[in-house]
Amino acid sequence: MRSRLTVLSGPSGVGKGTVVAAVRRLYPHVWVSVSCTTRAPRPGETDGVEYRFLDRAEFAAMIESNELLEHAAFAGNLYGTPSAPVYQRLEIGVPTLLEIELQGARQVRASMPQAQLVFLAPPSWEELERRLAGRGSESAEVIAARLAIAQGEMDARNDFDAVIVNDDVERAAQELVRLIERVCHTG
């Protein structure tokens, strides 16, 4: 029984990683794809858990050999989803989740129109600004750039199949898993 892919996207700082960590903890039957990135790990991140951290040459080689389902440049770094593990999980019916940026979500929609796209929204613009500044891992210039991009991403929320407001992490994770399970049983 094939499963249907669910893609979680939203602006930088909205809490995608935090919600996905709650999904991993509360719903271990949902398989979460580990994306590749050329950015440096943030404090507490582990290679192979939150991301596979690659250099630009390794990333370019994956693009060249067509190993990525999607890839995008964001805030000066490259991000991408290895395709083989995703297709393997879907083929055997495992609920599968990607956490990716808007550009990547659009690529997935183009190549897999049956995928379910879920937009994670902040409770307010002010809260999004606070979360980005509170990371403490990026310069004021990078935060300003991420906020400018985030405005465009917020405008794209209507392109998604569902919107979840991240005002409570565990509730957002529960709502996301309900959507995943609904498409696994009806898709």
Side-chain angles (χ1 to χ4, degrees):
M1 167 180 98
R2 258 191 97 117
S3 192
R4 182 175 168 201
L5 179 63
T6 299
V7 175
L8 180 68
S9 193
S12 181
V14 76
K16 294 181 299 289
T18 305
V19 169
V20 168
V23 168
R24 280 188 168 119
R25 185 178 73 253
L26 299 169
Y27 305 96
H29 67 285
V30 174
W31 183 76
V32 180
S33 174
V34 177
S35 295
C36 299
T37 184
T38 59
R39 78 159 170 77
R42 292 187 183 124
E45 287 183 331
T46 304
D47 185 50
V49 176
E50 291 83 9
Y51 286 97
R52 284 181 50 209
F53 296 97
L54 306 175
D55 64 32
R56 286 188 174 267
E58 292 170 313
F59 199 97
M62 290 184 79
I63 293 172
E64 182 68 28
S65 60
N66 205 27
E67 295 177 50
L68 298 174
L69 179 63
E70 58 79 30
H71 60 89
F74 186 81
N77 294 296
L78 302 173
Y79 295 83
T81 303
S83 55
V86 171
Y87 288 126
Q88 290 165 358
R89 291 336 183 278
L90 291 173
E91 192 61 40
I92 60 173
V94 174
T96 302
L97 175 65
L98 300 186
E99 172 206 339
I100 56 179
E101 301 299 331
L102 179 63
Q103 186 180 351
R106 287 180 170 148
Q107 289 177 38
V108 171
R109 173 69 77 183
S111 66
M112 298 178 76
Q114 72 279 17
Q116 171 179 233
L117 272 57
V118 178
F119 188 87
L120 191 65
S124 68
W125 182 256
E126 294 74 26
E127 178 62 14
L128 183 64
E129 290 176 319
R130 188 191 68 71
R131 289 177 186 178
L132 275 173
R135 282 180 174 170
S137 62
E138 295 163 333
S139 68
E141 294 80 20
V142 170
I143 292 170
R146 285 186 183 268
L147 285 169
I149 292 166
Q151 185 57 60
E153 291 171 332
M154 290 295 292
D155 293 342
R157 69 192 289 165
N158 293 334
D159 298 342
F160 287 73
D161 301 309
V163 176
I164 297 173
V165 175
N166 186 17
D167 53 2
D168 176 88
V169 171
E170 290 202 5
R171 186 205 53 76
Q174 290 168 351
E175 190 173 340
L176 179 58
V177 170
R178 274 196 301 275
L179 289 168
I180 292 168
E181 291 177 341
R182 186 187 78 219
V183 299
C184 285
H185 297 310
T186 63

